[in-house]
Amino acid sequence: KLQFLYFIGMPPKKGRVEDDEERDGAVDIGDLSDAYGMPIPREVLLVYSIAVQVSPKTPLEAFSALGVRLVGPFEVLKGVLPSGVDLNMHWRYQYDPPEVMTILTDAGTNRPSKHWCYHRDDPEEQPGMVVKGTLDSYEFDICAQTLLQFLVQRCVETKETKLSALLKGAMAEDKQKAVSLGDLKQRRTKKAIAQPLSKLGMSVPFNKRTDVGYRNMSCSVNELKKLILKAMDGTNSKTQADSLASISQFVDIANDECDFGHGLEVGLNYLALVQPGTAQHTEAGRLLDLAYMLLGRDVFQKTAESLLSFRSEKGHPPVSKVYEKSS
């Protein structure tokens, strides 16, 4: 069973630098943003600077006392990734929608079961929150507004006062104001126009005056889930098969009428449920490809295509190697 994906990312544009303190000056936020095709928050450099201060030789393990390991953009900063193809598939688990990007995993294991991600609704936006996913579930938990705030929370939980002071100093430098988890969830609920199975919410441009940009699905999320699961295991009735076909037809109509969010919602729910080798897996690809294209979210479009293609490659086990030194 495919569990998680570990694609090798590309090295920083300015090449590998052996000394980590020197590297902080060699790779800037612009370099990282260009590499990912999305804006990377300045706090990434601040967190990495603290990591180097705490653990100069192994900065990716600097927060192991908090139960987490730095990955993703931090591995780019460390210069440990061999040359590769797609940073946006790096540490992408099978249930990860394109809107999430892994930045932390479990500490002390080469096969982490949990990962923490930046989440954003649009690849042109800065991340709006840090969320947690697991190996075997499509549901995510909202954890904090920023990575620094999440790490400070972990310090409180683990009573790491030294790390907490350093992280709070970085928050002040980044002019971050702490937001409670309750307030963050309320803001997310208010912004989200729909709630796919991931529990992350979904936001698309919507004109309230013209009612254009999104329309509700013709069934509930749970009803759609039942239809998809029955279709995959072959236990659906003709009526249920017709209902599922009608949902896809409604998406096409919604797209024609510029309600692109409708197709995205259906597609994200498909992504959470479908298995490789099924017609529903193919349909997930079609729905998401159209939705992201019409919304102008090209980075997400390519990520969804890569994820679904990788899922379909039989006999290709997930790579679980954790890099600390360049090979």
Side-chain angles (χ1 to χ4, degrees):
K1 180 182 177 181
L2 178 62
Q3 291 185 313
F4 70 87
L5 314 179
Y6 183 35
F7 271 55
I8 305 305
M10 47 192 285
K13 290 183 177 180
K14 298 185 181 181
R16 191 173 189 279
V17 179
E18 293 295 336
D19 181 64
D20 289 307
E21 292 182 2
E22 187 177 348
R23 170 163 292 282
D24 287 336
V27 181
D28 61 21
I29 284 301
D31 293 324
L32 283 175
S33 299
D34 288 344
Y36 278 93
M38 299 182 289
I40 302 299
R42 177 175 174 267
E43 68 170 356
V44 166
L45 291 185
L46 296 174
V47 169
Y48 188 71
S49 178
I50 293 172
V52 171
Q53 180 181 343
V54 171
S55 182
K57 298 296 183 182
T58 56
L60 302 182
E61 310 291 347
F63 301 106
S64 58
L66 306 183
V68 297
R69 184 178 195 275
L70 301 174
V71 296
F74 301 102
E75 291 169 305
V76 176
L77 291 171
K78 182 70 168 68
V80 296
L81 299 179
S83 213
V85 292
D86 192 349
L87 277 177
N88 290 316
M89 286 295 292
H90 186 54
W91 283 112
R92 183 165 295 280
Y93 288 41
Q94 67 164 334
Y95 292 113
D96 288 1
E99 289 80 3
V100 304
M101 164 190 157
T102 301
I103 50 176
L104 303 170
T105 62
D106 289 353
T109 173
N110 281 358
R111 200 171 183 79
S113 61
K114 297 189 289 289
H115 66 317
W116 291 263
C117 313
Y118 277 138
H119 175 277
R120 69 190 90 206
D121 292 301
D122 189 295
E124 294 185 359
E125 298 176 352
Q126 288 281 356
M129 55 188 181
V130 173
V131 300
K132 182 184 78 174
T134 59
L135 214 62
D136 55 1
S137 175
Y138 52 72
E139 293 184 355
F140 285 75
D141 294 320
I142 297 173
C143 298
Q145 184 181 39
T146 68
L147 175 57
L148 281 168
Q149 291 177 39
F150 169 73
L151 292 173
V152 168
Q153 289 174 12
R154 297 286 283 204
C155 286
V156 172
E157 295 165 5
T158 56
K159 299 181 180 179
E160 286 288 336
T161 55
K162 180 182 176 181
L163 279 177
S164 180
L166 292 171
L167 292 163
K168 286 180 178 178
M171 279 182 62
E173 183 178 344
D174 202 35
K175 299 181 180 179
Q176 290 189 20
K177 294 183 179 180
V179 176
S180 72
L181 185 58
D183 286 346
L184 179 62
K185 288 181 176 180
Q186 284 184 356
R187 291 182 189 181
R188 185 58 188 166
T189 299
K190 185 176 180 179
K191 182 180 180 182
I193 201 166
Q195 290 291 341
L197 287 164
S198 66
K199 293 190 174 180
L200 290 172
M202 185 195 88
S203 179
V204 296
F206 177 68
N207 188 318
K208 291 183 179 180
R209 183 178 62 82
T210 60
D211 202 33
V212 171
Y214 172 79
R215 67 181 63 177
N216 292 324
M217 293 195 303
S218 57
C219 64
S220 71
V221 172
N222 285 333
E223 288 170 339
L224 176 60
K225 177 181 176 180
K226 290 177 183 178
L227 290 173
I228 292 173
L229 293 178
K230 283 185 171 293
M232 283 196 299
D233 65 20
T235 60
N236 57 331
S237 65
K238 184 180 183 306
T239 300
Q240 290 170 328
D242 289 344
S243 295
L244 196 58
S246 294
I247 289 170
S248 292
Q249 292 171 0
F250 291 151
V251 169
D252 294 334
I253 294 170
N255 284 338
D256 288 342
E257 297 177 359
C258 298
D259 288 336
F260 307 142
H262 179 81
L264 180 59
E265 181 182 13
V266 176
L268 288 173
N269 285 315
Y270 262 83
L271 181 66
L273 299 169
V274 296
Q275 294 296 323
T278 63
Q280 292 70 40
H281 192 266
T282 302
E283 180 65 0
R286 185 187 78 87
L287 292 168
L288 290 173
D289 186 68
L290 272 172
Y292 289 129
M293 179 189 69
L294 294 169
L295 288 164
R297 299 176 178 180
D298 296 349
V299 174
F300 291 168
Q301 182 185 10
K302 293 174 183 176
T303 300
E305 180 183 3
S306 296
L307 174 58
L308 289 163
S309 295
F310 193 90
R311 280 181 174 184
S312 296
E313 293 180 12
K314 298 182 187 280
H316 194 321
V319 180
S320 58
K321 183 175 182 180
V322 170
Y323 286 89
E324 186 57 50
K325 295 182 179 180
S326 181
S327 59

